[in-house]
Amino acid sequence: MLNKQLERSMQKLKRHDSSDFDIIYEATYKLVYYIIYGILKNKSLADDIMQEVYIKVYQKIDQYQENTSPQAWIARIARNLALNEYKRKQKETLMDTNTFDLIPEKTFDTPLIDLAVNILSEEEYMIVMMCVVERYRRREVAKILNLSTSGVTWKLNQALNKLKKEVEVQNENK
């Protein structure tokens, strides 16, 4: 039901009717944030890029194809903008020889999410956030990330095992 409503809202936006833009935002903002944060590992940067994503969605809506998943299309925009910002920051860091604060700031009050962003790969982090936190079906995650459903299942299990082992190590060290 939500996917059909989201698709209808995307088509309205494509006809330059922005009355349903809130529906698009509400249906995708968490996914977008997790993707951006997973790449940048910085809350304030993630907030800034998130705004850019929805501006870009509005600007590029004519490029949206009807047979494309709205979540996948918006996720791709988010990923591209976050990667561009990451590359820009890398160049900036290389140029600034007086940079001392390279440790990403903590953004969530949940230590498990902070742990996940620090020890998992970008793809593993996104899969965990989508499957566990956002409760997307593995089939939906596979479509968004352009993976097979079994690939998502395998990577999810690997990521959860990494998290479990790290939590066990941290508990032993207390």
Side-chain angles (χ1 to χ4, degrees), residues 17 87 93 99:
D17 176 355
K87 289 174 190 170
T93 301
T99 301

Side-chain angles (χ1 to χ4, degrees), residues 150-163:
S150 59
V152 169
T153 300
W154 186 81
K155 289 178 184 204
L156 176 62
N157 289 334
Q158 293 293 105
L160 292 175
N161 284 334
K162 278 186 190 178
L163 286 171

Side-chain angles (χ1 to χ4, degrees), residues 3-18:
N3 284 340
K4 289 183 182 188
Q5 176 62 44
L6 183 56
E7 177 62 36
R8 282 193 298 272
S9 297
M10 292 292 285
Q11 291 305 321
K12 279 179 85 171
L13 187 60
K14 195 168 183 173
R15 293 188 304 270
H16 304 289
D17 176 355
S18 59

Side-chain angles (χ1 to χ4, degrees), residues 38-94:
I39 294 169
L40 299 176
K41 297 171 180 53
N42 179 298
K43 183 182 179 353
S44 60
L45 270 178
D47 291 340
D48 292 343
I49 299 302
M50 193 162 158
Q51 290 178 7
E52 287 184 43
V53 167
Y54 290 100
I55 291 169
K56 191 71 78 175
V57 165
Y58 191 79
Q59 291 172 340
K60 302 286 184 181
I61 191 65
D62 290 335
Q63 296 175 9
Y64 173 73
Q65 301 294 318
E66 191 171 329
N67 59 350
T68 305
S69 160
Q71 293 99 330
W73 188 74
I74 293 171
R76 198 170 313 114
I77 291 171
R79 187 173 189 278
N80 290 342
L81 287 174
L83 288 172
N84 289 343
E85 180 65 18
Y86 179 80
K87 289 174 190 170
R88 189 181 70 72
K89 282 290 185 192
Q90 289 293 93
K91 287 179 188 174
E92 198 175 278
T93 301
L94 291 174

Side-chain angles (χ1 to χ4, degrees), residues 115 119 161-174:
L115 179 66
I119 70 165
N161 284 334
K162 278 186 190 178
L163 286 171
K164 181 181 176 188
K165 286 178 185 173
E166 184 62 28
V167 167
E168 288 171 353
V169 166
Q170 288 182 8
N171 285 339
E172 287 174 7
N173 293 334
K174 285 186 179 180

Side-chain angles (χ1 to χ4, degrees), residues 130-151:
M130 286 189 269
C131 290
V132 177
V133 177
E134 288 300 305
R135 303 220 184 261
Y136 278 82
R137 291 189 174 105
R138 291 178 185 155
R139 177 177 68 245
E140 294 171 316
V141 174
K143 189 173 183 182
I144 290 169
L145 297 179
N146 199 25
L147 297 169
S148 67
T149 304
S150 59

